[in-house]
Structure formats: C-alpha cells, structure tokens
Amino acid sequence: MSFASVPTSSRPRLTRRGVLAGAAALAGTAAALTPSAAEATSTGTAAPAPADRITERDGPEAAGRGRATVFRNVRPYGARRPVDITVVDGTVTADPAPRGAQVVDCKGRIALPTLVDAHIHPDKTAWGEPWVTRSPASTIAEYTAEDVKLYHALRTPLKERAQRLMGHAVTRGTRAMRAHVDVAPAYGLAGVEGVGAARRALRHALDVEIVAFPQHGIVRTPGTRELLEEAARTGAVDRVGGIDPIGFDEALDEQLDVVFGIADRHGAGVDIHLHERAATGVRSLRAIIARTRALSMQGKVTVSHVFCLPGLAERELDQLAHELAEAGISLTTVAPSSDLVLPLARLRGHGVRTGLGSDGVRDAWSPFGNADMLHRSHLLAWAQDARLDEELEAAFRAGADDGAQLLGLPRVDLKPGSAADFMLVRGECLPQVVVDMPQRDVVVRGGRVVARDGALVDG
C-alpha cells in the first residue's frame, strides 16, 4: 500500500528521531512463597517441546468458589529455586490454596511483572495492514500532513487497528498504557472514539489512559481547542495534551492557557509533548511548572520526551529536577537515542516520577515500532550503554515499577498482597531476559491467563 506523496524538497531527509530533535532547533527479589518440589530445568528461548508446554487443570470443586489459581513450579524474577504462586481473586496470597483451585504448571519458567507503556499512539498505527510506502517528510508539519493521508488511505476502521495493536501489546506483556490520540479538525474526535471503543473491548486485559493530543497544534490550527474542550467535557479522555508551545505552535502562553484551562475546568490531567531543546525547551518547561503550581495540579501533569534535559549541565539539571519533583510533574521517555534519553536515575534520585513508552508504531512517521515493552526496555538499556546486571535490571524496572507508579497502579513484586499481573518466560535470569527478549509464553492479568503463546485468550 502507498499513500499520496508530497513533493521532495531539497533539504536532506531526516529520520523520525531527527525531526523530533530538530523541532527544538526550530525554536530483583524472589517472592516469599510456597516452595515447589521441582527444580527449574527450562532456559533459553527456543520453542518449547511438548513436555515443556504450560498445562492447566481445574480442581474438582472449582465451580461456584472464589477465583483461585496455583501457578506451580515458577521462578519469580529468575530465582534459582521454583515456587508455587497462589492467587485468590486477583491477589497473590501466602495462604494455602483453597480446594478446587485451578493449577497451572509453569515448568520452571521465570515470572516477571507485566509492563506499562507510558507513551504510545495507537490511533496512528498501520500495524497488521498491508505495507505502507512512506513519502519524504522533514518537519513536524509535513509529518502531520502524512498522518492525514495515511488515515484516509487505510481501509480498516481506526477502532479495529487500535484494538489490534493494543491486543498485541497485551500478548507481549503490557498491563497498561497511556494512549495519545490525535485531536484535530482533520479527524474530529474519531481517534478518541476509536481508541475508547478498543479500551472497552480490552478492559479485561489492559488498563488504558487516553490523552487528547493536539498533534497539529492548538493555536496554529483553528478548531482544535474546541475539540479538546469537548473531549474533556464528555469524560472521553483522561488527559489533555499539548505540543512544543514555542517551537511549533509559536504561542507559549496561549497554548498553555488553553491546555491547563481545559484540564482544570474538567478535572483532567495534562501530558505535553516537549521536543524543544536547550533554552527554548527549558523556558517551556518552567512555564509548565509555574502553571502546575498556580492551579494546584501537583501529581496531574506529565511532560513527554523533554529533549531539553539530557544536555544540561549537572547543576542546572539538578535544579530543574528539584523543581519538577516539588511540582509533582512526571516525565516520560521513549529512549530514542543515547543523547536524547532522559537521565532516569538522576531524576528519580530527586523524586521525579518517570516512565518509558513505545511512541509511534508503524505509522506515517516511521515503519518501525512494535508495542513490545520488553523490547523497549532492551532499547533503553542499549541507549544507556548498560553492561552490568543491575543496569539491565534497572531498564526493565523503568517499564514495570516506574510505569506503574506513573499511572497510579499498584507495584507488582509477586509477594503476598501483590496484584497477580505477571508474564511467564523461559530464561536464566532477569538481565538475560532483557537482552534476549524471549517469547512471552503466558500473560496473566488479575490471576487470569489473558494471553498465551503470542495470542489473546478470550475474556
């Protein structure tokens, strides 16, 4: 499939990450659980032999009782000795399994918390569609024009495309996501409605926050602010977005007044794309901090990408991190490259909440992306030049623990009292899993198997 091309300019062709960077220039513990009698014998990533396949059976008295499952012979976080994880009504328990509990034999696989995609654009995706031949583009305005062309060229309804991608994310071990959905006169609220329908269809397997994202700008695109207002007023979205108020919209105060005003009126949160770099980005970031404080919106504001932070001198970075933490503003990164990934450890050290996301997935901007957060943790480790086991583990926890905190979800540690949201993989240890990215053999949500061998299980 191809969609209408735009004239090729004399400027050099830029990559997605290049145009985002250039936009600114324009302006492990094991669970305390019941030990299993068997030792782990399964490692590596090859397809399991029949004897190594996970099996399930129901106890003879399962009907009519509270939902209980024993995940037998499993290694939390890659522990050497397997244990049995008992789950009752979606929560891990240290109590003996009730009679009639379902039993899932995990054959020594590693159990890891499922992950959170803190920044993804499921409405734009061509995932699962015939191949798209992309046209040259080198500015945000040109890329957004290509978005519109692709939107009209794709034959599958947006809701189906979004649900296909979001369901795929579940099969790869995603428990929750924050979905940025384009809101502009070119689409109306079609994206919000489509992703909202996909959210409802997958509610048994996935938590979804929706951000009304003004990709085309707010001030530069008349009609957008009214659509943002409607989306927030009706409760169809959880957050109101913004984009490069200086570098793209060229209206710092006007854009932020619109975004924060709508969010404040309707009790929504805020999540602003900020690709601006150097002094321009810092100026926008400080304006966001000031409005957050003035409207007492601490804990309700996120800034995504924040390319102005990685190049700052340590003293200025520490000062900004302190101000962000005081204002309760969280940050997300998609780990696009070593020079643009956020300094997550330093930010966390100041108390700033951070998250990791996929960004676009096979859309008009790029043929790449797969909505696989284990792969994104792998890319984060690569961008950070991780080498030590603790560095690889930290990259995983950026997508698991940090993402859960960002979206206000309970942290999963696989200990008694933990939510039973985890995935089962074959491997040796957590660092090796981050590097090798084995198949997610089983994905569990609230104690129920929601995906197996790369496919969704009917809810």
Side-chain angles (χ1 to χ4, degrees):
M1 173 183 289
S2 63
F3 54 102
S5 62
V6 295
T8 305
S9 74
S10 59
R11 287 169 291 183
R13 179 182 178 276
L14 299 179
T15 62
R16 177 191 180 102
R17 70 178 60 159
V19 74
L20 294 181
L26 296 175
T29 56
L33 303 166
T34 308
S36 168
E39 290 293 330
T41 59
S42 174
T43 60
T45 59
D52 189 40
R53 291 183 183 139
I54 293 173
T55 58
E56 301 176 42
R57 63 179 175 82
D58 288 327
E61 302 176 18
R65 293 183 176 273
R67 188 158 50 90
T69 305
V70 178
F71 293 88
R72 182 155 292 163
N73 191 18
V74 62
R75 295 185 294 133
Y77 291 97
R80 294 184 62 84
R81 189 171 179 228
V83 298
D84 295 338
I85 296 180
T86 300
V87 178
V88 176
D89 293 333
T91 302
V92 177
T93 179
D95 297 333
R99 294 184 63 184
Q102 183 184 40
V103 177
V104 179
D105 188 352
C106 303
K107 305 293 178 69
R109 282 170 174 78
I110 296 176
L112 294 171
T114 41
L115 297 144
V116 174
D117 194 328
H119 188 106
I120 188 171
H121 295 265
D123 62 313
K124 296 176 182 283
T125 191
W127 182 267
E129 299 295 294
W131 180 254
V132 170
T133 299
R134 290 154 184 86
S135 301
S138 58
T139 67
I140 290 180
E142 290 174 353
Y143 275 103
T144 56
E146 293 302 302
D147 281 335
V148 176
K149 293 174 185 176
L150 180 59
Y151 171 77
H152 290 295
L154 293 172
R155 297 290 178 249
T156 304
L158 187 152
K159 182 260 183 184
E160 293 181 26
R161 290 186 285 108
Q163 184 174 331
R164 178 195 295 154
L165 181 67
M166 293 156 68
H168 168 76
V170 172
T171 70
R172 295 304 185 265
T174 293
R175 66 186 281 214
M177 61 174 53
R178 181 176 290 172
H180 293 258
V181 180
D182 281 13
V183 170
Y187 315 109
L189 296 178
V192 169
E193 294 162 359
V195 174
R199 169 168 66 178
R200 290 190 295 274
L202 293 168
R203 61 185 177 274
H204 68 288
L206 185 68
D207 285 321
V208 182
E209 279 191 4
I210 298 178
V211 182
F213 173 47
Q215 174 77 81
H216 296 192
I218 296 175
V219 177
R220 67 184 286 151
T221 307
T224 300
R225 70 179 69 192
E226 291 80 8
L227 289 168
L228 293 173
E229 184 89 46
E230 183 180 353
R233 178 185 59 79
T234 60
V237 300
D238 305 284
R239 291 177 179 263
V240 181
I243 180 170
D244 296 345
I246 299 174
F248 185 58
D249 233 358
E250 299 180 346
L252 173 64
D253 291 329
E254 189 174 357
Q255 183 191 121
L256 295 184
D257 285 347
V258 170
V259 171
F260 278 87
I262 293 173
D264 185 47
R265 280 192 295 277
H266 301 292
V270 168
D271 194 326
I272 297 176
H273 283 56
L274 190 63
H275 312 109
E276 299 165 350
R277 297 180 73 177
T280 302
V282 171
R283 182 183 169 199
S284 291
L285 189 58
R286 290 196 182 280
I288 292 168
I289 292 171
R291 279 168 174 77
T292 302
R293 288 171 171 163
L295 293 172
S296 299
M297 290 185 65
Q298 289 87 344
K300 299 183 68 175
V301 176
T302 299
V303 187
S304 297
H305 302 307
V306 210
F307 291 160
C308 61
L309 286 184
L312 291 180
E314 289 187 359
R315 183 174 179 178
E316 187 174 7
L317 173 60
D318 288 341
Q319 178 60 40
L320 262 175
H322 174 73
E323 293 177 28
L324 289 164
E326 274 198 334
I329 295 174
S330 57
L331 307 179
T332 61
T333 185
V334 299
S337 62
S338 59
D339 60 327
L340 293 178
V341 65
L342 290 176
L344 298 178
R346 197 175 192 96
L347 290 166
R348 283 194 300 263
H350 285 277
V352 180
R353 292 186 177 184
T354 60
L356 179 66
S358 293
D359 209 11
V361 179
R362 202 164 295 184
D363 55 19
W365 291 62
S366 172
F368 295 100
N370 56 15
D372 184 337
M373 283 302 297
L374 181 57
H375 183 218
R376 187 60 50 169
S377 293
H378 172 103
L379 292 175
L380 173 63
W382 178 275
Q384 293 176 324
D385 196 24
R387 176 173 170 270
L388 304 179
D389 283 2
E390 53 266 33
E391 294 169 336
L392 293 166
E393 181 174 337
F396 177 85
R397 292 186 180 277
D401 302 344
D402 294 353
Q405 184 181 44
L406 184 77
L407 265 66
L409 300 171
R411 182 175 180 269
V412 174
D413 60 11
L414 302 176
K415 296 178 181 179
S418 169
D421 297 337
F422 58 91
M423 56 187 173
L424 299 174
V425 300
R426 294 188 304 144
E428 298 177 55
C429 58
L430 176 52
Q432 178 258 331
V433 167
V434 172
V435 171
D436 287 348
M437 299 175 290
Q439 175 176 293
R440 278 32 49 100
D441 293 337
V442 165
V443 180
V444 178
R445 163 71 183 271
R448 290 182 174 178
V449 173
V450 295
R452 176 188 295 278
D453 299 329
L456 288 174
V457 173
D458 290 339

